[in-house]
Amino acid sequence: MSTQFEPGAPTAKGIIPLCVPEIQGNEWKYIRECLDTNWVSSVGPFVDRFEQELAAYVGTKHAVAAVNGTAALHIALLVAGVQPNDEVLVSTLSFISPANAIRYVGAWPVFVDAEPTYWQMDPQKVVDFLDKECQWRSGAFYNKTTGRRVKAILPVHILGHPCDMDPIVEIARKYELPVIEDASESLGAKYKGRMVGHLGDIACFSFNGNKIITTGGGGMIVTDNQAWTERAKYLTTQAKDDPLEYVHNEIGYNYRLTNIQAALGCAQLERLEEYIETKRRTAALYTELLSDVDGIEPMTEAPWALSVFWLFTILVDASRFGTDSRGLMARLADKGIQTRPLWHPILSLRPFLECHSLGEDIANRLYGDALSIPSSVGLTRDELQTVASAIQQVASS
Ligand SMILES: Cc1ncc(COP(=O)(O)O)c(C=O)c1O
């Protein structure tokens, strides 16, 4: 059943939605071009153009478009050499996709708790685990507890903010582990002046309906690695060895983005910088209006980061605020304001109960206390003020 929270679902009149797409540029024009020229499927000029423009924006040498961000992650794990029964370190506090993608390749997540300040993968936990709880054996690196080979690190840049990548990349180099960034929520964010998506070895983006730019559904793999790029293209297009004679020597996937979706992506990309500025302005205004509300702690930005504030999120301290995050969510819903908690910590979801984990306290606390509030690019100043005053009213009632 579809819900009001489905990415891109239209919102009822009078509701201030959580995060809906902004379609105000050349979208119609470019899609019309696809329809007029019959380039509607998974090859076409917009697919090439979207790949080139996104790679240029992120600063990578290559990009491969995919049908969605989850498929992009699946392929990135395969090309990075992750195999069945391997382990991949991944953020505990994340949407489910990267954990699912790890299971698609038959590997196992090792869940890394968030750090308490910016809520991203805790680099110290990664370093301690690799230095103290793993060992080399016959040329490979193993988790001493599970006996499984550790094969990659997959930090997820959540909510538009980058992870603290230097220590993660440094320890990854020490143990020869590829770093696969899940930058689905953070296109345009920067870490120490460098673009998210170009901080590890390969990265993935999502363009689903609630992301900073959307193609309806879509994803992208970016990397500097030419061989991985070719393999990603091969695997996303059914592993065609001879397209005329239908020879396929490996199991491939039907994971290519269509030209129509890419057309949407090209138009959206033209507006990305403007969208980022808007999201940052929204964040600054929410911070100003909510910082003095007792029991509300707005999300922050690290001094080394440029966040795109994809979904603006606050922490609710029930003892000071008077109600908890779910109570606030219900009260705001009564006023026609859509909000949403952060993700259930993946390690306590049924398919992942047996996985190794490196702490969970912060993810559990954030799951309990956090609430994402309306953050669409099209959110007006009036709507933003309505949201902030509604929160202030709940506080004083
Ligand atoms: C962190 C993260 N990773 C991956 C995805 C998956 O992207 P998609 O929905 O395009 O498969 C999403 C969002 O949907 C996400 O938020």
Side-chain angles (χ1 to χ4, degrees):
M1 198 184 74
S2 65
T3 72
Q4 55 172 344
F5 287 115
E6 225 61 61
T11 4
K13 220 171 165 336
I15 300 283
I16 303 182
L18 183 67
C19 196
V20 289
E22 179 74 2
I23 309 217
Q24 303 285 344
N26 284 320
E27 289 84 355
W28 279 110
K29 181 170 166 233
Y30 294 169
I31 288 176
R32 186 172 196 102
E33 239 173 274
C34 299
L35 303 184
D36 286 347
T37 56
N38 245 358
W39 284 105
V40 293
S41 197
S42 55
V43 285
F46 282 114
V47 179
D48 298 339
R49 176 169 153 190
F50 191 37
E51 287 178 339
Q52 282 156 16
E53 290 182 354
L54 200 96
Y57 180 79
V58 177
T60 54
K61 290 192 182 134
H62 313 284
V64 179
V67 75
N68 56 52
T70 312
L73 284 164
H74 181 188
I75 296 298
L77 286 156
L78 287 173
V79 304
V82 178
Q83 291 182 0
N85 235 25
D86 283 344
E87 284 184 342
V88 178
L89 277 73
V90 64
S91 309
T92 302
L93 188 69
S94 162
F95 182 57
I96 193 83
S97 280
N100 278 344
I102 292 167
R103 292 299 296 127
Y104 297 168
V105 303
W108 295 95
V110 170
F111 292 108
V112 184
D113 202 3
E115 39 75 20
T117 318
Y118 308 111
W119 317 342
Q120 310 294 325
M121 174 184 267
D122 185 337
Q124 196 53 49
K125 289 212 155 46
V126 175
V127 171
D128 288 346
F129 170 71
L130 295 175
D131 273 345
K132 297 178 192 152
E133 294 181 48
C134 299
Q135 64 186 11
W136 287 105
R137 204 173 353 113
S138 322
F141 198 55
Y142 287 89
N143 179 346
K144 286 194 242 179
T145 310
T146 61
R148 293 191 183 114
R149 183 171 75 149
V150 178
K151 193 59 187 85
I153 309 179
L154 201 167
V156 185
H157 307 293
I158 63 163
L159 300 171
H161 191 288
C163 297
D164 183 5
M165 289 298 286
D166 280 351
I168 295 174
V169 173
E170 191 183 320
I171 196 81
R173 297 289 173 256
K174 181 169 168 192
Y175 295 113
E176 300 169 19
L177 303 172
V179 175
I180 303 165
E181 291 172 78
D182 183 348
S184 297
E185 300 176 5
S186 300
L187 176 62
K190 290 186 183 151
Y191 173 70
K192 300 187 177 171
R194 290 178 287 140
M195 205 55 113
V196 156
H198 198 197
L199 303 167
D201 299 290
I202 188 165
C204 299
F205 293 99
S206 161
F207 309 114
N208 98 13
N210 63 12
K211 295 297 180 290
I212 190 155
I213 63 167
T214 186
T215 57
M220 193 74 82
I221 302 163
V222 294
T223 180
D224 285 339
N225 187 316
Q226 167 102 32
W228 287 6
T229 305
E230 281 161 19
R231 183 139 181 85
K233 263 196 185 140
Y234 174 74
L235 290 175
T236 51
T237 51
Q238 303 280 28
K240 276 189 211 118
D241 289 290
D242 184 329
L244 190 63
E245 300 290 343
Y246 294 108
V247 178
H248 307 261
N249 291 317
E250 282 189 56
I251 301 295
Y253 303 88
N254 184 8
Y255 275 180
R256 279 297 265 177
L257 192 72
T258 68
N259 200 48
I260 296 180
Q261 289 166 308
L264 201 47
C266 289
Q268 290 266 294
L269 198 52
E270 290 170 355
R271 309 283 301 274
L272 176 59
E273 283 308 303
E274 201 184 311
Y275 292 179
I276 293 172
E277 275 168 35
T278 307
K279 293 260 195 195
R280 287 182 60 78
R281 258 200 316 275
T282 296
L285 204 51
Y286 269 140
T287 305
E288 189 187 315
L289 295 171
L290 295 174
S291 290
D292 292 339
V293 181
D294 194 29
I296 295 291
E297 191 187 319
M299 71 192 303
T300 53
E301 179 181 46
W304 38 260
L306 184 129
S307 173
V308 295
F309 290 101
W310 168 58
L311 269 188
F312 195 80
T313 301
I314 55 176
L315 296 185
V316 184
D317 176 344
S319 61
R320 284 162 51 213
F321 186 68
T323 177
D324 65 8
S325 62
R326 300 324 190 256
L328 176 59
M329 177 168 69
R331 298 280 294 278
L332 293 175
D334 289 343
K335 295 170 191 278
I337 297 169
Q338 206 180 46
T339 62
R340 169 164 218 178
L342 288 185
W343 317 275
H344 194 293
I346 306 174
L347 54 82
S348 46
L349 296 176
R350 201 183 310 151
F352 300 98
L353 289 176
E354 304 300 319
C355 296
H356 190 106
S357 66
L358 313 179
E360 58 179 287
D361 293 354
I362 307 296
N364 286 337
R365 182 169 70 80
L366 293 169
Y367 170 58
D369 293 350
L371 202 61
S372 299
I373 61 178
S375 306
S376 307
V377 168
L379 185 78
T380 64
R381 211 184 162 91
D382 278 357
E383 286 173 328
L384 191 153
Q385 267 156 346
T386 303
V387 175
S389 356
I391 295 172
Q392 286 154 354
Q393 276 162 24
V394 174
S396 54
S397 63

